[in-house]
Amino acid sequence: MESFKIIIADDNVTSRTLLRHFIHVLPQYKIVAEAVNGEEFVRLVLEERPDIVLVDINMPGLNGMEAVKICKQAVPALQIIFITGYDEFAVEAFEISATDYIVKPIERVRLFHALEKARKLIELFRQDCSSIRKKDKRLDIKSQGSILFLPLDDILFIEKESRKTVIHTSNERYETTETLSEIESRLDDYFFKTHRSYIVNLKKIVKIEPAGETYLAHFLDSHKIAYISKLKINEVQKKILAIHDI
């Protein structure tokens, strides 16, 4: 089970004790630190990098609102649940994207609802980040003394050409001394070795046609072609259908 780290910031010992008592029964949440003032809270957030913070506003020194603003700059995904005896700060709290705002006395059901809301937002944020990373995944290759970082989605196919390997995009070709096998291990599963000399981005194929004892793969917006061996054609077709959920 995934665990979410929590920091409590409240100068009132009774409030901290009650929060610990409530959260103790929830195995997916782990309290990693407690602070009694704003300065200590900021330091602990920077050290522990929690997922969720439970923060009182009226604390000695740096108040909870100002401390949270500092922490959000360092940890943008931080989920903030304000727990305070005052309701007049609610508008300001939500202006800085607080997850929830609980007015004391603390009720267990109300706290659990706020934690659940924070958990869902964290998971959504992580999914978005994962999608962005996947969309922007790149292949690093050594080429003519330089290191190139090519977006995987820009690559049509990779071809073994004599003693060198060539990475083809729609309009460019990049040469490297790395082998097909070395490059293949760093590619996503929509790349497939269609021939002993070719690795092809199956998502980019728009047409396959027979050519004697082999097959030719054609790509969108490009005149380039790649080869598919007769032995691999059935597997290639199945994989393309699976990729596009046809």
Side-chain angles (χ1 to χ4, degrees), residues 13-45:
V13 64
T14 302
S15 294
R16 296 200 309 274
T17 301
L18 187 60
L19 288 170
R20 281 200 309 270
H21 174 72
F22 287 158
I23 296 171
H24 177 72
V25 301
L26 303 173
Q28 68 268 44
Y29 300 100
K30 179 182 179 182
I31 298 171
V32 295
E34 296 180 21
V36 297
N37 58 59
E39 289 84 355
E40 184 181 23
F41 167 65
V42 171
R43 177 180 61 79
L44 289 171
V45 167

Side-chain angles (χ1 to χ4, degrees), residues 28-94:
Q28 68 268 44
Y29 300 100
K30 179 182 179 182
I31 298 171
V32 295
E34 296 180 21
V36 297
N37 58 59
E39 289 84 355
E40 184 181 23
F41 167 65
V42 171
R43 177 180 61 79
L44 289 171
V45 167
L46 297 179
E47 289 177 0
E48 297 290 343
R49 299 281 167 163
D51 302 297
I52 303 167
V53 291
L54 307 177
V55 188
D56 184 22
I57 291 178
N58 189 21
M59 291 190 293
L62 186 68
N63 70 40
M65 189 69 69
E66 295 306 315
V68 160
K69 291 176 182 178
I70 295 171
C71 293
K72 286 285 281 185
Q73 291 179 352
V75 189
L78 188 65
Q79 299 300 309
I80 312 295
I81 300 174
F82 284 108
I83 299 180
T84 179
Y86 306 90
D87 59 7
E88 63 263 32
F89 299 103
V91 172
E92 185 179 358
F94 290 115

Side-chain angles (χ1 to χ4, degrees), residues 13-177:
V13 64
T14 302
S15 294
R16 296 200 309 274
T17 301
L18 187 60
L19 288 170
R20 281 200 309 270
H21 174 72
F22 287 158
I23 296 171
H24 177 72
V25 301
L26 303 173
Q28 68 268 44
Y29 300 100
K30 179 182 179 182
I31 298 171
V32 295
E34 296 180 21
V36 297
N37 58 59
E39 289 84 355
E40 184 181 23
F41 167 65
V42 171
R43 177 180 61 79
L44 289 171
V45 167
L46 297 179
E47 289 177 0
E48 297 290 343
R49 299 281 167 163
D51 302 297
I52 303 167
V53 291
L54 307 177
V55 188
D56 184 22
I57 291 178
N58 189 21
M59 291 190 293
L62 186 68
N63 70 40
M65 189 69 69
E66 295 306 315
V68 160
K69 291 176 182 178
I70 295 171
C71 293
K72 286 285 281 185
Q73 291 179 352
V75 189
L78 188 65
Q79 299 300 309
I80 312 295
I81 300 174
F82 284 108
I83 299 180
T84 179
Y86 306 90
D87 59 7
E88 63 263 32
F89 299 103
V91 172
E92 185 179 358
F94 290 115
E95 284 177 349
I96 60 172
S97 301
T99 307
D100 212 335
Y101 189 98
I102 300 175
V103 178
K104 297 177 181 178
I106 304 165
E107 297 179 358
R108 181 173 57 182
V109 173
R110 181 73 180 83
L111 174 65
F112 288 178
H113 175 77
L115 289 173
E116 179 68 6
K117 183 178 177 182
R119 181 188 65 79
K120 289 179 179 178
L121 288 171
I122 292 167
E123 291 177 347
L124 183 62
F125 178 84
R126 290 175 180 174
Q127 288 172 7
D128 289 343
C129 288
S130 177
S131 297
I132 291 170
R133 285 194 295 271
K134 286 179 181 178
K135 289 177 182 178
D136 195 40
K137 190 170 182 181
R138 294 172 182 255
L139 173 69
D140 59 295
I141 57 167
K142 299 174 184 176
S143 178
Q144 299 176 346
S146 301
I147 300 177
L148 303 177
F149 299 90
L150 302 178
L152 289 188
D153 284 346
D154 287 354
I155 298 172
L156 299 181
F157 61 93
I158 303 165
E159 175 187 8
K160 184 66 179 175
E161 194 177 274
S162 187
R163 293 185 178 181
K164 60 192 174 186
T165 301
V166 181
I167 294 93
H168 291 271
T169 63
S170 294
N171 302 311
E172 302 290 342
R173 54 178 278 145
Y174 304 93
E175 297 181 1
T176 179
T177 57

